[in-house]
Amino acid sequence: SGIGFQAFSDNTGAGGIKTRRYSGLYAYEARLSKFVVGRAGFSAGMVQRSIDYTGFTFADQIARGNSSVSTESLVGASVKYLDLSSGILLYGKNFWGGFSAVHINRPNQSLLNGFSPLPPEFLLHGGYRFEVGDHTTIDQKNDNNNTLMIAGNYKKQGKFNQMDVGVYYTKLIVTGK
């Protein structure tokens, strides 16, 4: 088992949109067979988002000769919410694959006391490592001499989809003995 704590802070744009997140993490690993290990994890976080409208310039300010004060009655707004995530990974010597779900409780992130649920994000990821070339000429004990890895990650959140695929080649070069 493993436990962790994560702190995240982000200040975005001139409007002062701030996001703070503090999360507790838990992970557990178990050997499922001689060749397969399973790992599962869970995250529970408290998120605070806020906005400071004093950094914005509104149309009425421009219309009144670049006035420093707006006639808009906007005050700074903030929201706090619980955000839950979970995932599982299976792996062995040459393969890995897993599934993760983020924002599984669909927290309301509205800064204006409305309803704006954060859609869940689902990720499916995996890969395989192939040994290539003649491994006996370099080092029989080293299983990373020449490898070709193929990895992929599919992500879906709301109506958006993303697919990332990568191919990696590793070559061990031994110099002088």
Side-chain angles (χ1 to χ4, degrees):
S1 290
I3 59 170
F5 179 76
Q6 183 180 48
F8 170 83
S9 177
D10 181 51
N11 296 332
T12 306
I17 300 171
K18 296 179 182 174
T19 303
R20 308 284 183 267
R21 178 187 171 107
Y22 304 97
S23 302
L25 310 161
Y26 175 76
Y28 182 77
E29 181 175 281
R31 182 163 290 283
L32 303 175
S33 75
K34 185 176 179 181
F35 303 105
V36 179
V37 176
R39 184 178 290 176
F42 180 77
S43 168
M46 182 55 65
V47 178
Q48 179 178 0
R49 296 183 66 225
S50 63
I51 188 167
D52 178 8
Y53 291 108
T54 60
F56 291 115
T57 301
F58 293 94
D60 69 299
Q61 291 173 277
I62 296 169
R64 291 183 295 118
N66 291 326
S67 172
S68 62
V69 180
S70 174
T71 59
E72 297 287 337
S73 61
L74 297 171
V75 294
S78 69
V79 64
K80 291 181 184 176
Y81 57 85
L82 176 68
D83 195 6
L84 303 175
S85 304
S86 186
I88 188 166
L89 177 72
L90 299 174
Y91 67 93
K93 180 181 175 187
N94 291 318
F95 71 92
W96 65 95
F99 175 78
S100 301
V102 183
H103 317 303
I104 56 181
N105 58 324
R106 297 180 50 90
N108 182 13
Q109 62 173 348
S110 174
L111 289 165
L112 301 174
N113 297 324
F115 185 65
S116 178
L118 189 55
E121 177 181 352
F122 301 104
L123 299 104
L124 184 63
H125 39 271
Y128 195 86
R129 183 182 78 152
F130 300 91
E131 295 181 5
V132 294
D134 182 11
H135 294 275
T136 60
T137 58
I138 297 176
D139 184 356
Q140 293 177 352
K141 295 178 183 175
N142 186 342
D143 63 350
N144 290 323
N145 288 328
N146 297 315
T147 60
L148 179 69
M149 287 187 286
I150 299 173
N153 185 48
Y154 171 74
K155 175 178 168 179
K156 177 171 180 44
Q157 186 174 24
K159 63 181 181 176
F160 301 100
N161 294 285
Q162 178 177 330
M163 180 68 180
D164 299 313
V165 177
V167 178
Y168 309 91
Y169 177 74
T170 304
K171 179 172 181 65
L172 178 67
I173 300 174
V174 178
T175 60
K177 288 191 177 192

